Amino acid sequence: LAGETLTIPSASVQVFDAAGRRMLALDETVGQPSVTLTEPGIYTLRTPSSQRRLAVNTDPRESDPTPADETVLARWEAAGQALAAARPAEPLASPSPRDRALPLAPWLLAVLGVLAVLEPLAANLLARGRVLGAAR
């Protein structure tokens, strides 16, 4: 069952959880003969000579399908209503224009577009100035 301790059957065992992650490596099991399996699922135990699967299940007492008593349900509903009555209702307010965040991507794209146009113009103007300066 989930939460119980597994006694390691061999001195060199690797333990893998249900997701395939290593819980205990070979060197960790030498001095540790047991491990607690906390989650339900299929665990893998690997020894140098074999590989075994181990099913870990939840305790069946945790999943009792019998309906709850009417008095328990009534107390639970009354507690929920008392909690809702004690909490003041807050109206949903729309955010003010000051609180709304503006997306940054369109502004950055516009700045990059302007720079893409201005950079070649500036380069051409500087190149003409150098050519004219050298010709004088």
Side-chain angles (χ1 to χ4, degrees):
L1 297 177
E4 289 184 350
T5 302
L6 171 70
T7 302
I8 303 294
S10 174
S12 57
V13 173
Q14 288 179 312
V15 180
F16 293 88
D17 66 2
R21 294 182 301 258
R22 184 181 307 167
M23 291 179 60
L24 288 177
L26 287 171
D27 60 342
E28 295 173 334
T29 58
V30 172
Q32 185 177 4
S34 64
V35 63
T36 302
L37 306 174
T38 57
E39 296 180 19
I42 305 295
Y43 288 78
T44 305
L45 305 173
R46 290 186 191 158
T47 64
S49 61
S50 69
Q51 176 175 324
R52 296 175 60 195
R53 304 287 225 157
L54 175 68
V56 176
N57 299 311
T58 57
D59 191 346
R61 294 174 292 183
E62 292 181 10
S63 304
D64 188 6
T66 58
D69 189 19
E70 290 296 325
T71 57
V72 172
L73 292 176
R75 284 191 346 223
W76 186 38
E77 186 175 355
Q81 290 173 352
L83 182 62
R87 192 178 322 149
E90 296 178 12
L92 295 176
S94 62
S96 67
R98 223 173 131 205
D99 294 338
R100 281 184 267 173
L102 295 175
L104 188 59
W107 291 102
L108 287 177
L109 186 61
V111 168
L112 287 175
V114 169
L115 287 175
V117 171
L118 292 179
E119 191 274 331
L121 291 175
N124 285 338
L125 289 175
L126 288 175
R128 279 189 191 161
R130 288 185 187 151
V131 171
L132 291 176
R136 289 186 197 167

